[in-house]
Amino acid sequence: MPAIALAETGNGKDFPAKLTGQVLVCSIIAAFGGLMFGYDIGISAGVTTMDDFLIKFFPLVYEKKHRAKEDNYCKYDNQYLQLFTSSLYLAAIVACFFASIVCRKFGRKPTIQAASVFFLMGAILNCLAQNLGMLIAGRLSLGIGVGFGNQAVPLFISEIAPPKYRGGLNICFQLLITVGILAANLINYGTSRIHPYGWRISLGGAAVPALFLLLGSCIIVETPASLIERGKQEQGLYTLRKIRGVKDVEKEYAEICRATEISNLIKHPYRSLMKKSSRPQLICGTFIHMLQQLTGINVVMFYAPVLFQTMGYGSNASLLSAVISGTINVASTLVAIVLVDKAGRKILLVQAAIQMIICQCGIGVILKMFLLTTNTMPTVPAKVVVILVCVFVAGFAWSWGPICWLISSEIYPLETRNAGYFFAVSTNMVFTFVIAQAFLSMLCKMRWGIFFFFTGWLLISLIFSATMLPETKGIPIDEMVDRAWKKHWYWKSYFKNDSHDGSKRTEVAAEIEEKPAA
């Protein structure tokens, strides 16, 4: 495909490359894995407020919901209802481990294809569900798809993207997550009026992006790094020239070969992650995903309709409020695409943490003052809460939402990349599962205090992102150790005694420079 941008230039070891149509198309198709993930987040939030769905699968929740004097904070507190949402993430935790093995042994492309198959199976099971067991089985299949997709897609995009555009392209994954959430909210808003099978249309709709990804994954290329890692050097060089849009790719090819040679020396990548020189990436790559979930974002995304109903909005009004917040989510992620490779990763994380702290505190104070056990919240405070939710979502969408996935996909050297990214994805899924399973019970027990609980974690997020994360903007992915970690005020001490690995890298690099590219 023709190139659509000028060759990038830069300092250090930046390599000549153009932003080609091939890279754009492959990135967008792969990012549909994010759309499926987002659709599943949004759709579960909406169907759990539909009476037809509750009558069929959760009759006790339906009865509690319609009691006149039911506690505002406890009307949806049901472990089985929470399991419907959280079972997806339980399956994803296990699946991403096997996906990391498939990624390394067979490549990123087959892993993405497997994700689309599991998504399709899950959507069909949910659409046709006749009992709770079948419903949960469908969610588990979707969870396996989430595990495979989240493991492979950000790695795939990071490896095919030129360093100058890596941030923006990688955020396409998060952008389509937000598009999926918005699409799910719009569909839920429409199907909530279709009785008694509107929920089946909502759940079955997940098959559409799954089918698109399955067909689209047949035309995307495999990443050069994955091809070379699996001994397909000539195909890797051909693909590299194809996606870069220039013939002069020998330096980048040699760098990938050098990283691959070192990677092949590592027989036990999970054990290598425990070495001192791998701890900075492991700690930061996993901790930011824990903090991402503890911002409280999934409280908003999973349960926005439930939350708004708790404040006294009707069923349709609460779904409409979720649509509004979903639209802001998409628009703000576009802001991240524009700014992440210009302003950098850290400044966006720090600014947004401050913004989200203010919003969480504001929501907590208003609920404490105006939402009692059985009353309906007055109109003005309820509208202020919706505004604060939207401002909170905006801050998350241009920072902690996309940038955590981006950072964890770009910070690891090739030899530990799949293993390290597995820890990042599994950490994300573990905390997503815990919050999805516990939130409605926490809301019942902690009431308005739950928002101050998340505020405390946001303060930790602010301090951590400001002090412990290195800036990775514009650095080639295989130069990250030398140009980011070894220059960080704290983490550089972890590389002082890295002479053994360093000598091996030097020896391998010298050997490769003597071998001309084919």
Side-chain angles (χ1 to χ4, degrees):
M1 294 184 181
I4 63 171
L6 297 176
E8 64 168 297
T9 59
N11 300 321
K13 292 186 178 180
D14 289 348
F15 306 114
K18 299 176 181 178
L19 180 57
T20 61
Q22 181 79 44
V23 168
L24 272 179
V25 170
C26 287
S27 297
I28 292 170
I29 289 174
F32 259 74
L35 192 147
M36 292 188 296
F37 184 27
Y39 186 88
D40 289 319
I41 291 173
I43 217 69
S44 61
V47 297
T48 52
T49 67
M50 295 182 187
D51 286 349
D52 293 325
F53 178 80
L54 293 175
I55 290 169
K56 185 167 184 64
F57 298 108
F58 306 99
L60 293 178
V61 177
Y62 174 78
E63 291 175 12
K64 189 190 293 188
K65 174 184 173 182
H66 289 281
R67 286 177 193 161
K69 295 295 184 181
E70 184 59 39
D71 190 322
N72 275 324
Y73 291 97
C74 299
K75 63 175 69 175
Y76 288 97
D77 181 20
N78 181 279
Q79 287 298 311
Y80 288 110
L81 182 62
Q82 291 175 127
L83 182 62
F84 165 71
T85 297
S86 64
S87 57
L88 184 149
Y89 305 97
L90 187 63
I93 294 167
V94 178
C96 62
F97 171 73
F98 293 101
S100 69
I101 298 172
V102 174
C103 253
R104 179 160 185 151
K105 291 188 176 296
F106 302 101
R108 307 342 180 196
K109 179 177 176 177
T111 310
I112 293 172
Q113 290 173 327
S116 64
V117 171
F118 282 114
F119 269 117
L120 194 58
M121 289 168 53
I124 293 170
L125 280 171
N126 278 171
C127 180
L128 302 177
Q130 298 300 316
N131 51 58
L132 185 58
M134 193 172 175
L135 189 71
I136 298 299
R139 293 291 288 177
L140 291 173
S141 182
L142 289 170
I144 296 171
V146 167
F148 272 71
N150 285 14
Q151 178 71 28
V153 171
L155 284 181
F156 175 87
I157 296 174
S158 286
E159 288 181 348
I160 68 170
K164 184 177 179 181
Y165 306 105
R166 186 176 63 242
L169 287 174
N170 200 290
I171 289 176
C172 285
F173 176 70
Q174 178 68 23
L175 174 64
L176 287 186
I177 290 178
T178 65
V179 170
I181 293 171
L182 176 59
N185 288 335
L186 289 169
I187 290 170
N188 280 335
Y189 185 66
T191 58
S192 64
R193 296 174 170 81
I194 302 174
H195 304 288
Y197 55 83
W199 61 270
R200 292 190 186 275
I201 299 173
S202 292
L203 294 177
V208 176
L211 192 58
F212 179 89
L213 181 62
L214 180 61
L215 297 175
S217 63
C218 297
I219 65 172
I220 62 176
V221 299
E222 182 58 271
T223 71
S226 178
L227 290 167
I228 295 168
E229 186 180 27
R230 291 180 287 122
K232 301 178 181 180
Q233 279 80 5
E234 290 187 8
Q235 191 176 346
L237 178 59
Y238 171 79
T239 302
L240 187 61
R241 285 178 174 148
K242 185 177 181 181
I243 65 174
R244 291 291 175 259
V246 296
K247 291 185 177 181
D248 182 20
V249 297
E250 279 72 18
K251 288 183 179 179
E252 184 174 4
Y253 175 75
E255 182 67 22
I256 296 172
C257 288
R258 181 186 71 85
T260 301
E261 295 273 351
I262 296 167
S263 174
N264 290 337
L265 295 173
I266 306 297
K267 302 303 180 185
H268 305 286
Y270 288 96
R271 190 182 302 168
S272 296
L273 271 177
M274 301 301 116
K275 292 184 355 184
K276 185 176 181 180
S277 59
S278 295
R279 287 177 205 161
Q281 301 99 311
L282 179 63
I283 292 169
C284 290
T286 54
F287 199 56
I288 58 173
H289 277 278
M290 181 189 81
L291 293 175
Q292 183 201 57
Q293 295 309 306
L294 290 171
T295 59
I297 185 61
N298 280 336
V299 170
V300 176
M301 292 292 92
F302 288 153
Y303 299 113
V306 173
L307 190 63
F308 292 139
Q309 277 199 14
T310 295
M311 295 185 303
Y313 286 89
S315 179
N316 287 335
S318 68
L319 287 172
L320 182 59
S321 298
V323 169
I324 293 170
S325 63
T327 302
I328 291 172
N329 197 13
V330 173
S332 299
T333 306
L334 291 171
V335 173
I337 291 176
V338 174
L339 293 181
V340 70
D341 287 318
K342 295 180 180 178
R345 284 62 159 151
K346 287 188 66 168
I347 188 67
L348 292 177
L349 292 174
V350 170
Q351 179 277 324
I354 296 171
Q355 180 173 323
M356 290 189 289
I357 287 169
I358 295 170
C359 293
Q360 288 279 28
C361 285
I363 294 170
V365 168
I366 292 172
L367 293 186
K368 181 181 186 297
M369 293 175 62
F370 295 103
L371 187 63
L372 305 178
T373 302
T374 58
N375 74 320
T376 298
M377 183 183 287
T379 302
V380 173
K383 288 181 178 178
V384 173
V385 169
V386 173
I387 292 170
L388 287 173
V389 165
C390 291
V391 175
F392 175 89
V393 168
F396 180 87
W398 66 53
S399 61
W400 287 85
I403 292 176
C404 290
W405 293 105
L406 169 60
I407 289 175
S408 58
S409 71
E410 67 184 2
I411 60 176
Y412 292 99
L414 184 61
E415 59 263 32
T416 56
R417 191 171 299 158
N418 284 302
Y421 197 64
F422 157 71
F423 277 100
V425 176
S426 59
T427 299
N428 189 288
M429 294 298 110
V430 165
F431 281 90
T432 305
F433 167 76
V434 169
I435 291 172
Q437 184 64 26
F439 168 66
L440 292 177
S441 297
M442 289 172 68
L443 181 64
C444 181
K445 300 292 189 298
M446 298 174 68
R447 301 173 179 267
W448 49 266
I450 192 172
F451 295 95
F452 293 104
F453 168 80
F454 289 120
T455 298
W457 283 105
L458 279 166
L459 285 170
I460 296 172
S461 303
L462 172 61
I463 296 168
F464 182 80
S465 57
T467 60
M468 302 307 291
L469 283 178
E471 181 55 71
T472 57
K473 178 186 73 172
I475 301 175
I477 196 168
D478 291 311
E479 292 295 314
M480 203 63 71
V481 170
D482 293 329
R483 293 172 59 178
W485 297 103
K486 288 185 178 181
K487 294 182 179 180
H488 187 270
W489 71 273
Y490 177 76
W491 298 121
K492 64 183 179 182
S493 63
Y494 283 70
F495 299 92
K496 285 183 178 178
N497 299 319
D498 198 27
S499 58
H500 177 70
D501 286 350
S503 62
K504 281 194 178 293
R505 288 176 182 271
T506 303
E507 291 171 12
V508 171
E511 289 177 11
I512 292 169
E513 285 176 1
E514 294 174 2
K515 302 176 186 176

